């Protein structure tokens, strides 16, 4: 806010939202091929899968409000 002013505040929230959204996609395993996903699911333990799902959901819970706020700020400022 100090550098750009209130006109570009949506960039900060949008960037944070996009970063956490990418983290969520990486941890969910949605960015690998089908045979790699099958191999990963077959070799991981239940505890590891639960931890990976927890990280995925928490990252998504952080990303979605930030993206919504960024869109609202963008359209309210235009």
């Amino acid at each position: 806010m100090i550098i750009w002013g209130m006109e570009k505040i949506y960039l900060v929230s949008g960037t944070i939202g996009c970063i956490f959204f990418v983290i969520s996609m990486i941890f969910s395993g949605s960015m690998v091929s089908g045979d790699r996903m099958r191999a990963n699911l077959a070799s991981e333990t239940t505890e590891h899968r639960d931890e990976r799902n927890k990280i995925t959901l928490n990252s998504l819970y952080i990303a979605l409000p930030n993206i919504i706020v960024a869109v609202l700020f963008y359209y309210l400022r235009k």
Side-chain angles (χ1 to χ4, degrees):
M1 288 188 317
I2 294 172
I3 296 172
W4 297 316
M6 288 300 289
E7 295 83 29
K8 302 286 183 171
I9 193 66
Y10 61 89
L11 289 175
V12 175
S13 180
T15 302
I16 292 170
C18 288
I19 288 171
F20 278 101
F21 191 71
V22 169
I23 290 171
S24 177
M25 287 187 332
I26 290 171
F27 275 97
S28 71
S30 64
M31 300 179 71
V32 296
S33 64
D35 57 338
R36 173 57 65 185
M37 185 180 285
R38 183 178 61 242
N40 288 342
L41 289 175
S43 64
E44 70 182 353
T45 63
T46 305
E47 294 85 19
H48 185 256
R49 184 177 302 130
D50 291 341
E51 181 181 350
R52 185 177 51 83
N53 287 335
K54 184 174 135 184
I55 293 171
T56 299
L57 285 175
N58 287 337
S59 298
L60 194 61
Y61 290 151
I62 294 171
L64 287 179
N66 278 301
I67 291 173
I68 291 169
V69 166
V71 169
L72 287 175
F73 277 147
Y74 180 76
Y75 283 115
L76 290 176
R77 283 294 184 187
K78 297 294 174 177

